[in-house]
Amino acid sequence: MLEQLGKNAKNAAAILGKASIKEKNDALLTVAKALLDHQEEILAANEVDLKNGREAGMKESLLDRLALTPARIEGMAEGIRQVSELPDPIGEVLSMKKTENGLLIGQKRVPLGVVGIIYESRPNVTADAFSLCFKTGNAVILRGGSDAIHSNMAITDVIRNALLQCNMPKDAIGLVTDTSRETATKMMKLNQYIDVLIPRGGAGLIKNVVENATIPSIETGTGNCHVYVDERADIDMAVKIIVNAKTQRLGTCNTCESLVIHREIAKKAVPPIVKALQDKQIDIRCEEETIRLMEEADSELAKKLIPATEEDWGTEYLDAIISLKLVDSIDEAITHINYYNTGHSEAIVTEDYRNSQKFLDEIDAAAVYVNASTRFTDGFEFGFGAEIGISTQKLHARGPMGLLALTTTKFIIYGDGQIRE
């Protein structure tokens, strides 16, 4: 099955690489319309996955990641429409220079070829990944998790049928329907057909790819994201940002999992932050010092606090849990965050310009915010239309990966008979 998917994708990529901008954009708009026209079938398939997830005891935050609604399908379609409106990077000549012997040497942006994506839970990734790969002339082979298999099959079928309507190769998107770990590991070694592999999911998946893939890979996903409340923070703003960053969606990689608060502002800031989070049924894991501070402010709220362990500082919960750490300085906050973070998204709340700049300069992460929620680290929010994932590594791509991250370059050389002496 994998061998055939690889051959089909390779053939499709050869066709896509020659497709015109108009052909690609028209096909994307047809796919977006098809998703809406067939949303009932997609929602029915998704309900099967949700039912299986509930019966398996899947926690609510992960069920939320898995769930599709009419609004989310509209969001998928809108993302594809936005991708169709973005400038096509393929064919762009990045530079051109003339050498002493008269050669013109330039660089041209080209597709990667065949992109493999292994991902978990979120079926909207199926549509997002397809649209970005298709726009950049790449074929894509997708392997989703078993928990979303019915949803992914339904979405893939809609896309493939829509491509046929446009006389475009349906194998521009392929789905691995065997969701076993063994098949995923075999896919990681399909060098003959897949040019780059992108894992999108939890730490376990990323580790598996890093240890087993022989295909070049781009790491994405894991997000132990922090919000640091500086000694010069606006407390009302801090509460608003923290509640949004933690509670808007619990199961996403850009959700805040860890709070860091300066001791100078702790007596004023901790009680309203704790209350706001507990009002949203968020469990807070913190040091004994914070518990004592809350006992003085509100003994009833203090009773609900949970003593933190060392493990809590580095955990991506993807659940209604957050850690809270007190620090003596912005330097200690930066050191703590850089030690425990996953290179995803970090935020500072402060009215001190110098501290904001220090945080921006010294935090090692793909996205660093001043006075804003970490939930904005997203291809749609960044104006990419959609995203292939959020890269937490530093080579080739970093942060939300849009069209440019799915391209490479080749040198193009013009001569008029030159030979090397």
Side-chain angles (χ1 to χ4, degrees), residues 9 43 52 95 101 128 198 201 211 223 233 252 254 263 272 287 300 327 339 365 388:
L43 290 172
N52 291 340
S95 64
N101 65 3
D128 291 351
I198 302 174
E211 292 179 351
T252 60
N254 55 19
R263 279 191 175 86
E287 301 154 300
E300 290 303 310
V327 295
Y339 184 82
I388 208 73

Side-chain angles (χ1 to χ4, degrees), residues 46 65-66 68 76 121-127 148 151-152 155:
N46 183 244
R65 292 179 72 168
L66 175 60
L68 290 175
M76 288 161 53
S121 294
R122 297 172 63 180
N124 66 291
V125 172
T126 305
S151 306
N152 292 335
I155 294 168

Side-chain angles (χ1 to χ4, degrees), residues 376-416:
F376 286 105
T377 306
D378 176 86
F380 190 89
E381 294 290 341
F382 278 25
F384 301 159
E387 69 182 36
I388 208 73
I390 297 172
S391 171
T392 53
Q393 66 181 41
K394 299 181 181 181
L395 294 180
H396 177 66
R398 197 180 194 192
M401 296 167 59
L403 296 176
L404 292 182
L406 292 171
T407 68
T408 184
T409 61
K410 65 181 177 184
F411 284 96
I412 53 175
I413 304 97
Y414 294 93
D416 54 6

Side-chain angles (χ1 to χ4, degrees), residues 260-328:
V260 181
I261 301 177
H262 198 293
R263 279 191 175 86
E264 286 297 316
I265 202 173
K267 283 190 176 182
K268 292 181 179 179
V270 169
I273 290 171
V274 167
K275 183 179 188 308
L277 289 171
Q278 289 186 351
D279 285 346
K280 295 285 188 176
Q281 287 77 53
I282 304 296
D283 289 337
I284 302 168
R285 299 184 179 180
C286 57
E287 301 154 300
E288 290 294 337
E289 178 184 356
T290 304
I291 296 175
R292 289 194 300 271
L293 185 155
M294 278 303 301
E295 284 173 344
E296 296 176 7
D298 190 321
S299 59
E300 290 303 310
L301 293 181
K303 291 176 183 178
K304 299 178 183 179
L305 298 178
I306 302 166
T309 65
E310 176 69 22
E311 184 180 2
D312 284 309
W313 309 135
T315 298
E316 181 190 30
Y317 298 108
L318 300 175
D319 204 350
I321 306 170
I322 197 167
S323 67
L324 192 163
K325 172 79 174 176
L326 299 183
V327 295
D328 285 322

Side-chain angles (χ1 to χ4, degrees), residues 84-211:
S84 75
E85 295 170 359
L86 293 173
D88 189 339
I90 299 303
E92 176 188 1
V93 177
L94 304 178
S95 64
M96 186 67 72
K97 65 180 181 180
K98 192 170 188 177
T99 62
E100 288 185 4
N101 65 3
L103 287 176
L104 283 173
I105 300 177
Q107 273 186 297
K108 183 178 182 179
R109 198 175 292 282
V110 296
L112 290 167
V114 178
V115 178
I117 302 177
I118 301 177
Y119 58 109
E120 298 170 341
S121 294
R122 297 172 63 180
N124 66 291
V125 172
T126 305
D128 291 351
F130 159 75
S131 65
L132 291 168
C133 288
F134 188 84
K135 177 82 173 192
T136 47
N138 297 294
V140 63
I141 298 175
L142 301 169
R143 190 274 188 186
S146 59
D147 51 357
I149 185 60
H150 297 91
S151 306
N152 292 335
M153 289 173 64
I155 294 168
T156 300
D157 286 346
V158 170
I159 293 172
R160 286 168 66 88
N161 288 331
L163 289 174
L164 287 176
Q165 293 176 32
C166 307
N167 295 316
M168 297 298 284
K170 67 178 182 179
D171 293 313
I173 178 172
L175 180 70
V176 179
T177 54
D178 180 349
T179 58
S180 67
R181 186 183 180 95
E182 292 75 20
T183 300
T185 301
K186 289 179 182 177
M187 180 179 170
M188 297 175 198
K189 303 180 187 299
L190 214 62
N191 300 60
Q192 184 179 354
Y193 301 109
I194 298 176
D195 295 285
V196 65
L197 186 66
I198 302 174
R200 180 168 172 171
L205 171 61
I206 304 297
K207 183 173 184 289
N208 189 22
V209 170
V210 169
E211 292 179 351

Side-chain angles (χ1 to χ4, degrees), residues 226-239 241-242 258-266 268-270 273 324-327 329-330 333 337 347-351 355 359 371:
H226 297 73
V227 174
Y228 167 55
V229 182
D230 186 47
E231 61 182 322
R232 295 285 306 280
D234 179 311
I235 295 174
D236 291 338
M237 179 190 292
V239 171
I241 288 172
I242 289 166
S258 302
L259 297 180
V260 181
I261 301 177
H262 198 293
R263 279 191 175 86
E264 286 297 316
I265 202 173
K268 292 181 179 179
V270 169
I273 290 171
L324 192 163
K325 172 79 174 176
L326 299 183
V327 295
S329 66
I330 187 172
I337 292 169
I348 182 174
V349 183
T350 186
E351 294 185 312
N355 282 355
F359 195 84
N371 296 331

